[in-house]
Amino acid sequence: MPKTLIIVESPTKAKTISKFLGKNYTVVSSMGHVRDLPKSKFGIDPEKKFKLQYQIPAKAKKTVTSLKEKAAKADEVILATDEDREGEAIAWHLAYILKLKPSETKRMVFHEITKSAINEALDNPRYLDENLVDAQQARRALDRIVGYKLSPWLWNKVRLGLSAGRVQSVALRLIVDREREIQAFEPKEFWKVFGTFQAVKGELSTELYEIDTKKFKKFDITDKENADSLVTRLKTLAYSIETIEKKQSSSAPGAPFITSSLQREAARKLYFSAKQTMTVAQKLYEGIPLGDKGQVGLITYMRTDSVNLSEQAIQAGRKEIEKFYGPEYVSDKPRRYKTKSKNAQEAHEAIRPTDPTLHPDLIKGYLDDNQHKLYSLIWGRFMATQMKPAIYDLTNVFVASDDKSAKFKASGKVLKFEGYLKAYPDKRDDSFLPETTEGEKLSDAVITGEQNFTQPPARYSESSLVKALEDHAIGRPSTYASIISTIQARGYVEKNDDRRFFPTETGVIVTDMLVAHFPQIVDIDFTARMEQQFDEVAEGVDTYEKTLSDFYDPFIEQIEEKTKSVPKYEVKLGRTCPEDGGELVEKMGRFGKFIACSNYPTCKYTEQTEEEKKLTEAVGEKACSVCGEGTMQVKRGRFGPFLGCSRYPECKNIEKIEDKTGETCPKCEKGELVWKKGRKRGLKFKACNRYPDCDYIENKKGADSKKKKTVTAKKKPTTKKAP
């Protein structure tokens, strides 16, 4: 029997696939990419049709040697990397190092790691699609061109260590622009009017709906004087129930998950970052050990633009709904979805469980906490697609004054049938109204006015930023996670206590410099057009070389011109240097803004920024606890301001600047609670400043998190059988 070697990217994926195949198949992992562009040089030759100069990374050399040995002994080599462009490129690199002809190399693709899917892929192999490879290489090359040519320009004009990215810079601009909208926002005052009435069977809370036969609008009253006048008038009137409207409403389930919607929902419901979502989903796709069942791939491929569901999956889901929830929950007919995105091409199906009978709670003991949460989300969303709508009873009660000059409205909503919410629950507020009858007289009217102000647009959350990237066609769904994590890692954005993004000082400066001098790089429409060009390369309509050459030549000319014409970033302060009379300017350094003399390096005078001066005032004069001679001064470092001895470098004593709350630690009763920032999410929390002597931590609700904290480790069942 001929021996066949199948190569995938991950050891977990290899292990899961191996259990479906016989002894004549050997499944091995490439451990990801086997070739990449060099880190120390450009790696692209524009003079030779933008040829990419790939090399084998040091960490991959041992794997490559092993793959060559195994391929030499095999009668046939099949490449089974992921079915997207990245996977196609990895397969192409493997074909190159194993000296396989791309036009003759078998390529098997599948959307889920199940026995039927693997056997079908083996029976229907295709060959490498070099158009997909060219599309991936065009993206990689363009990102390298922007990063390697524009980043040094930022080093020269702003400060060392900065970097620019083709799609990351556009995502950063969205956040900076939103912050400016918030800062420029001017709140507008408006008043609401409420009426509380006593009905026969309970209290009825309403809001003014109509005044003098005209519907009451948001900005009809914009000051307290007019609000008080209206309230006084309404208090003099008598009221009764005019009409009661009752109707039934329904809500249908959403489409099954695609990459972007999974990231949004995981952020909204589970507080996962996009990167965290994709990391956990990758593990669920590649396979989890389920006791006697062995390694099982739990979900279909998680990088997809398609909401399509296979007929087999639909029928399996409907069967399980009937068994698990009851026949009354199964939709009257199979529900199918169509992909709205015209550019959807990365996969064949939506993200769904490979086996609907594997209920999340049934396999909970085999998953870690995050895996169980995400699998539950995916399983529930898929099951919901084949379930009946949720049914609500809606009631509108209209209260009218006897002279018909004023009308109030109360609305109630009650869930009558859960439908799909049984599998995919969402936050809902049932609002009940007391039983009333038309014509019923009301008493004890309490009329009040409430002052309100319009609110600025909200900062982007992880979920809304993914939605914005998708709406503007910035990047692809498979790249959203890396885009968001990159701008955070570079220190361009941070998250506040509400898990929303705001730009750092550095992020604003970098964005302003790029907008002013390289507007096309941070232009949303330009970035979307580039994505379209990559799609055209993948479809064979455009070519790799033309896509790059159209961008490269004018971009390099622009870099050269801006290098000569744009001065280094400085903000003139309109003050003179006390040492040599030069002009004081605000510059950007490694650790943020600082003030220095414009005649540097001839004059090395510096002074504190306003922020540092405020910190100095807050800290006060404090003697060095180590040398006793110097005083502790506010200085800037990589992780923000800190206190350092004035006698540095003779004395290298440093101390943290604590963000004090003024509260005594309730646990040790000696220390003081200070604000700290978490490493993973960057959220603030209170903790005792005597740590590690006292480990008290308080969450936002004021509870001692140490009392609630549990450690969830991945369980390894011994006697428990798999489902």
Side-chain angles (χ1 to χ4, degrees):
M1 289 290 289
K3 299 288 184 180
T4 301
L5 179 69
I6 297 177
I7 305 177
V8 299
E9 309 100 308
S10 118
T12 305
K13 188 176 175 182
K15 186 177 180 181
T16 307
I17 293 174
S18 292
K19 76 171 192 171
F20 302 128
L21 304 175
K23 295 180 180 179
N24 296 318
Y25 291 92
T26 301
V27 187
V28 296
S29 165
S30 70
M31 305 298 288
H33 285 273
V34 290
R35 290 203 304 166
D36 201 359
L37 294 174
K39 290 185 177 181
S40 57
K41 59 181 182 179
F42 188 37
I44 302 174
D45 192 344
E47 303 299 321
K48 296 182 179 179
K49 300 181 179 181
F50 295 94
K51 182 179 179 180
L52 301 179
Q53 300 163 355
Y54 289 113
Q55 63 182 27
I56 299 173
K59 65 179 182 179
K61 288 182 178 178
K62 187 176 179 180
T63 302
V64 168
T65 301
S66 176
L67 290 174
K68 286 180 178 178
E69 292 173 354
K70 287 181 171 65
K73 295 175 184 177
D75 298 305
E76 181 182 42
V77 177
I78 299 178
L79 305 178
T81 49
D82 289 343
E83 60 177 319
D84 55 13
R85 296 174 190 173
E86 189 82 7
E88 203 73 18
I90 293 175
W92 181 78
H93 287 301
L94 285 167
Y96 179 87
I97 66 168
L98 298 178
K99 294 182 169 53
L100 306 173
K101 291 183 179 180
S103 59
E104 299 175 6
T105 302
K106 284 187 178 180
R107 173 94 164 91
M108 59 181 279
V109 293
F110 40 86
H111 187 66
E112 59 185 56
I113 306 178
T114 58
K115 186 175 179 63
S116 58
I118 298 302
N119 287 335
E120 184 179 348
L122 278 171
D123 292 340
N124 300 281
R126 62 169 173 81
Y127 295 108
L128 273 168
D129 187 332
E130 295 198 56
N131 287 334
L132 291 181
V133 176
D134 283 347
Q136 191 276 338
Q137 290 193 111
R139 178 192 295 279
R140 184 81 172 88
L142 199 64
D143 289 346
R144 173 61 66 109
I145 290 168
V146 173
Y148 267 64
K149 299 299 181 181
L150 194 51
S151 295
W153 185 85
L154 285 173
W155 302 346
N156 180 260
K157 301 302 179 183
V158 184
R159 70 161 173 84
L160 287 172
L162 295 178
S163 60
R166 185 181 60 86
V167 287
Q168 293 91 340
S169 297
V170 184
L172 174 60
R173 182 181 182 178
L174 289 176
I175 295 171
V176 171
D177 286 351
R178 176 60 56 86
E179 193 69 21
R180 290 221 163 99
E181 285 181 60
I182 294 170
Q183 292 170 356
F185 180 81
E186 294 184 6
K188 188 175 180 181
E189 183 181 4
F190 66 97
W191 286 73
K192 291 182 177 181
V193 177
F194 299 95
T196 303
F197 306 93
Q198 188 63 47
V200 173
K201 295 187 177 180
E203 192 175 78
L204 184 65
S205 297
T206 66
E207 184 174 348
L208 184 62
Y209 177 75
E210 194 174 282
I211 188 72
D212 296 328
T213 70
K214 292 183 180 179
K215 189 172 180 180
F216 186 72
K217 296 179 181 178
K218 185 174 182 177
F219 295 109
D220 279 355
I221 299 179
T222 57
D223 59 74
K224 188 177 186 302
E225 184 179 355
N226 283 320
D228 289 344
S229 175
L230 179 59
V231 167
T232 300
R233 171 189 163 189
L234 294 175
K235 283 180 177 180
T236 65
L237 305 176
Y239 298 89
S240 59
I241 304 294
E242 183 182 57
T243 55
I244 300 174
E245 294 178 354
K246 289 187 177 181
K247 60 181 179 179
Q248 202 171 74
S249 173
S250 66
S251 68
F257 283 131
I258 58 176
T259 304
S260 58
S261 60
L262 176 63
Q263 291 174 0
R264 294 201 307 271
E265 279 292 271
R268 185 176 73 89
K269 288 190 168 185
L270 307 178
Y271 302 118
F272 282 9
S273 67
K275 182 178 180 181
Q276 184 180 12
T277 298
M278 297 309 290
T279 299
V280 176
Q282 182 83 37
K283 292 177 181 177
L284 295 175
Y285 165 70
E286 292 178 350
I288 302 291
L290 297 185
D292 294 342
K293 274 184 173 286
Q295 198 92 358
V296 178
L298 293 176
I299 65 169
T300 52
Y301 193 52
M302 63 284 157
R303 294 185 180 91
T304 173
D305 287 343
S306 172
V307 293
N308 178 49
L309 292 170
S310 69
E311 195 61 35
Q312 182 182 5
I314 289 174
Q315 295 306 322
R318 294 175 67 82
K319 184 178 178 181
E320 184 60 22
I321 292 166
E322 183 175 357
K323 176 183 173 183
F324 194 81
Y325 295 113
E328 68 274 20
Y329 283 92
V330 185
S331 60
D332 294 333
K333 59 181 181 179
R335 195 179 281 112
R336 296 175 177 86
Y337 298 85
K338 290 185 179 180
T339 302
K340 295 180 180 179
S341 172
K342 62 182 180 180
N343 294 324
Q345 87 291 319
E346 296 277 8
H348 307 296
E349 256 196 285
I351 304 168
R352 60 168 175 81
T354 57
D355 183 357
T357 65
L358 293 178
H359 189 282
D361 290 340
L362 199 62
I363 60 173
K364 186 175 183 178
Y366 300 91
L367 308 176
D368 67 29
D369 189 46
N370 286 345
Q371 289 169 353
H372 180 256
K373 287 178 179 177
L374 193 65
Y375 179 69
S376 298
L377 200 68
I378 294 168
W379 186 90
R381 180 75 165 228
F382 165 71
M383 299 297 274
T385 65
Q386 302 306 314
M387 297 174 74
K388 286 183 178 178
I391 306 297
Y392 298 88
D393 275 349
L394 300 181
T395 302
N396 291 324
V397 177
F398 292 93
V399 174
S401 61
D402 289 352
D403 65 359
K404 305 300 181 184
S405 65
K407 188 183 291 187
F408 289 81
K409 179 183 177 182
S411 297
K413 180 179 180 182
V414 180
L415 181 68
K416 300 299 288 184
F417 176 65
E418 281 185 295
Y420 75 91
L421 293 173
K422 191 82 172 176
Y424 194 71
D426 209 344
K427 289 182 179 179
R428 61 178 188 272
D429 294 316
D430 285 353
S431 49
F432 298 91
L433 299 176
E435 187 177 336
T436 56
T437 58
E438 290 185 358
E440 179 181 338
K441 295 293 183 180
L442 301 174
S443 60
D444 300 330
V446 178
I447 312 297
T448 57
E450 181 186 275
Q451 184 186 40
N452 290 269
F453 292 92
T454 53
Q455 297 298 308
R459 291 187 175 98
Y460 287 108
S461 63
E462 193 95 24
S463 176
S464 60
L465 183 56
V466 167
K467 183 69 166 61
L469 294 175
E470 183 180 34
D471 290 345
H472 293 301
I474 299 170
R476 299 292 304 170
S478 58
T479 65
Y480 296 158
S482 63
I483 292 171
I484 295 172
S485 61
T486 296
I487 58 177
Q488 289 181 87
R490 289 175 177 171
Y492 292 162
V493 302
E494 291 182 359
K495 282 184 179 179
N496 62 13
D497 292 348
D498 295 322
R499 297 184 176 89
R500 293 185 176 272
F501 293 106
F502 66 92
T504 62
E505 195 173 61
T506 304
V508 172
I509 291 172
V510 167
T511 298
D512 288 347
M513 290 291 282
L514 294 179
V515 169
H517 304 294
F518 296 90
Q520 81 280 14
I521 296 298
V522 287
D523 180 70
I524 292 171
D525 292 337
F526 173 80
T527 306
R529 286 196 300 273
M530 289 308 306
E531 292 299 334
Q532 188 176 353
Q533 282 187 261
F534 296 147
D535 290 341
E536 290 173 355
V537 174
E539 294 161 5
V541 176
D542 206 345
T543 65
Y544 165 84
E545 183 185 354
K546 183 177 183 301
T547 298
L548 294 182
S549 62
D550 287 348
F551 174 83
Y552 184 80
D553 291 338
F555 177 63
I556 294 303
E557 287 180 11
Q558 190 179 17
I559 288 279
E560 292 172 353
E561 190 276 322
K562 293 296 181 180
T563 299
K564 297 175 183 176
S565 64
V566 178
K568 194 173 179 67
Y569 172 82
E570 288 181 347
V571 177
K572 296 179 179 180
L573 300 177
R575 295 190 287 120
T576 56
C577 173
E579 291 191 1
D580 74 344
E583 187 169 15
L584 288 181
V585 293
E586 187 178 75
K587 297 185 177 184
M588 197 68 186
R590 287 178 62 200
F591 307 130
K593 290 179 180 177
F594 68 97
I595 296 172
C597 179
S598 58
N599 292 331
Y600 177 87
T602 305
C603 177
K604 297 183 179 180
Y605 174 82
T606 62
E607 67 176 51
Q608 290 182 323
T609 62
E610 289 302 314
E611 179 189 357
E612 289 168 333
K613 288 176 182 177
K614 289 178 182 178
L615 278 173
T616 300
E617 290 176 9
V619 171
E621 192 168 323
K622 182 180 177 182
C624 177
S625 59
V626 174
C627 69
E629 298 178 22
T631 56
M632 301 305 288
Q633 298 179 338
V634 174
K635 299 179 182 291
R636 278 184 176 269
R638 181 181 176 187
F639 302 106
F642 67 94
L643 294 177
C645 182
S646 60
R647 293 184 62 247
Y648 179 87
E650 288 80 8
C651 177
K652 298 181 180 180
N653 179 34
I654 61 171
E655 295 178 10
K656 291 181 180 178
I657 297 178
E658 296 180 333
D659 189 359
K660 297 181 179 181
T661 66
E663 302 172 32
T664 302
C665 174
K667 186 174 183 179
C668 68
E669 298 182 347
K670 295 179 181 178
E672 182 177 349
L673 294 186
V674 295
W675 286 108
K676 293 190 175 184
K677 185 179 286 188
R679 289 185 179 180
K680 286 188 177 180
R681 292 178 181 165
L683 303 180
K684 291 175 73 175
F685 62 92
K686 293 178 184 179
C688 181
N689 64 355
R690 293 184 64 246
Y691 180 85
D693 295 329
C694 177
D695 62 358
Y696 179 83
I697 294 176
E698 190 175 290
N699 61 24
K700 287 184 74 175
K701 293 181 180 179
D704 183 356
S705 62
K706 289 292 179 181
K707 294 176 183 176
K708 294 185 175 181
K709 188 175 181 182
T710 56
V711 179
T712 304
K714 192 169 183 178
K715 300 176 183 178
K716 296 182 179 179
T718 51
T719 58
K720 182 178 178 180
K721 290 186 178 180

